[in-house]
Amino acid sequence: MVPEVFVADTNVLFPFFRKDSATASVITGRHGGAIKLLAPELAKAELNKYKLLLCSKSGILPELFDRLLSLLEYFVEFIPLDEYKKHMPKAISLANAFSSKDKEDFMNDVDFFALALKEKCSIWSKDKLFKKQSRIKVLNTPELLTELGLK
């Protein structure tokens, strides 16, 4: 079975660090579905940026966070900007119909859209703003589970 490919937004990677997280089951494949997850390298930088907050909310020590981040890299392929940057102009154009505030917020996450355009795949995200564009399919976790036939 060929795994379905999704770009994972950072907000769906955060729960990976919580014990018994349903999201972690999806990421690791314990849920039974075959998926391949990609994310821009900047997602890893965002995880590190919020390391102390994630440790606090997850009740884990920073050393465990580091080990879990290494484990996450086994399940999520973090892609360097050079591999998808030629898709940035098209990704940026997706924000044209947004309000000024939404456009500004969208631009913070444009890398996820550029990567999805490159890979011709959907995005897994909890961000409602992502759904305000219609070019790329965006699924939240319940929708992803339904898509995979697991719910």
Side-chain angles (χ1 to χ4, degrees), residues 10-11 13 19 21 24 36 38 64 78 83 88 103 118 137 145:
T10 310
N11 64 31
L13 300 178
K19 187 178 179 182
S21 160
K36 178 179 178 182
L38 308 172
L64 180 55
F78 292 94
E83 291 188 29
M88 289 295 270
K103 188 173 189 172
K118 176 194 180 286
K137 187 174 184 178
L145 293 172

Side-chain angles (χ1 to χ4, degrees), residues 16 34 44 46-47 68 79 81 87 105 108 112 132 150:
F16 182 79
K44 192 166 44 169
E46 287 180 325
L47 291 168
L68 289 172
I79 310 295
L81 174 62
H87 297 276
D105 289 345
N108 291 328
F112 296 93
K132 289 188 176 183
L150 301 170

